[in-house]
Every structure is written in structure tokens, then in C-alpha cells.
Amino acid sequence: MAKKLDQIIVIDIEATCWSGSPRPGQENEIIEIGICTLDISSGERLEKESILVKPERSTVSEFCTQLTTLTQAQVDTGITFLEACAILKDKYLSHQRVWASYGEYDRQQFEKQCQSFNVTYPFGTRHINIKTLVAIFHALPKEVGMSGALELMNLPLEGTHHRGVDDAWNIAGILSELVVKTRVRT
């Protein structure tokens, strides 16, 4: 299938989490998929969306709520993981476009959850790790977190850190700066 190179889909997920190990009988599950589309030709962030996903094999802990601001009541209004993956494919053409995240966690969690839930992986094979790009572009001795990258690049943190929709917007801003600066240099 031909790849669409008009946009990059920037994804940031939030998942159920605990201050230590998962509760007995529970596993990490995606509870929010933050999406921001980035126009490749202009570097503009086009839109952002939050998809809340109702967990089926875990509950939102107090620690998770403190970190993400998401509550069990909020995610209970969400859709199934299968429905969320269908939105990614149908609305964002995620199987045809390059997608990006900050680090490998989002990609690995999607792969793990798709396998665990017997859901078709909604993305193609082309994934960009923006965390690694930032380190390479700035010749850093090691990778830095998203807030560190924003600070390094003199970009503001917009919204609430650890909310998928806001983090996706901020990560797309980081990627946009890298794309625009690369074009200026060439």
C-alpha cells in the first residue's frame, strides 16, 4: 500500500499505572490516546484529539489520577480499545501514514495491547522516535524527557503534562521545530 507522506500522526498515550507493580490480576492498559497531526510541508500542527479508552483488565489508581488527572469515572465514558484503533485507521489513516511518539513506550504498549486483546495493530511499519531525534539533533550525551526537550528548545509546555492530548500537541511542536530547522539548514 502506498504511503501517505502529507502528515505525521503524533501519538501520546496514557495508560493505567501504579506507584509500584500493577495490582494483582491487572495489567497496564491504554486509557487515553492523544493525537496531533502535523503537516509535513508547513510544519503546522493541524488538529488534536483525545480518545478516552475504557480499560477492561485494570482500574485507574489514585497514583494514575494524580499523574494524568484522568479518573475512573472519566475513562468509564470511553470507548473500547478496538473502537479506538478503528478511529486511528479510519479517520487518521494511521496504517498509511508515518507516525511518531516521544520514546518507544507508546509503540511498545500499542504492540503489547494489540497482541493481548487480539486487535489488529492500527499503524504501519514507519515509526519516528522523537526522543532519539532530539538527542541526535542537539548532540546530547543521552536522551531527555519531553519537558526537558521543550526547555532545551525554548518551547512552552502547553496544557497539562501527562495528558495524552496535550503531550501529543507539545511533542508535535518539538517535531515541527526539528523539521523547520532542518529545512532552514538545507
Side-chain angles (χ1 to χ4, degrees), residues 77-129:
T77 68
I79 60 177
T80 67
F81 180 64
L82 176 64
E83 292 168 320
C85 288
I87 290 171
L88 289 169
K89 285 183 78 173
D90 297 340
K91 181 177 179 181
Y92 294 98
L93 304 176
S94 60
H95 57 297
Q96 295 179 39
R97 288 194 166 109
V98 175
W99 75 287
S101 63
Y102 203 84
E104 293 295 324
Y105 175 79
D106 303 76
R107 183 185 57 76
Q108 291 170 349
Q109 182 61 34
F110 259 102
E111 289 173 351
K112 178 181 157 192
Q113 193 160 332
C114 284
Q115 183 175 20
S116 179
F117 283 67
N118 199 28
V119 170
T120 302
Y121 186 66
F123 301 103
T125 58
R126 295 190 177 143
H127 172 259
I128 298 171
N129 180 337

Side-chain angles (χ1 to χ4, degrees), residues 21 24 28 31 58 60 64 84 90 103 107 111 113 115 124 139 141 149 160 163 171:
S21 299
N28 296 95
I31 55 175
S58 61
V60 177
C64 189
D90 297 340
R107 183 185 57 76
E111 289 173 351
Q113 193 160 332
Q115 183 175 20
T160 302
R163 272 306 300 268
I171 294 164

Side-chain angles (χ1 to χ4, degrees), residues 12-84:
D12 185 80
I13 63 166
E14 301 305 327
T16 50
C17 55
W18 302 268
S19 60
S21 299
R23 293 177 181 161
Q26 297 195 29
E27 61 187 70
N28 296 95
E29 288 181 82
I30 295 169
I31 55 175
E32 182 188 21
I33 303 171
I35 305 160
C36 181
T37 52
L38 182 72
D39 181 79
I40 293 175
S41 63
S42 69
E44 294 292 318
R45 293 176 282 189
L46 300 175
E47 66 177 302
K48 64 179 181 174
E49 181 176 1
S50 170
I51 300 173
L52 292 181
V53 180
K54 184 176 181 176
E56 298 176 33
R57 301 178 183 171
S58 61
T59 56
V60 177
S61 68
E62 184 178 327
F63 172 81
C64 189
T65 296
Q66 289 173 356
L67 181 66
T68 66
T69 74
L70 292 167
T71 65
Q72 185 68 47
Q74 286 174 298
V75 299
D76 280 344
T77 68
I79 60 177
T80 67
F81 180 64
L82 176 64
E83 292 168 320

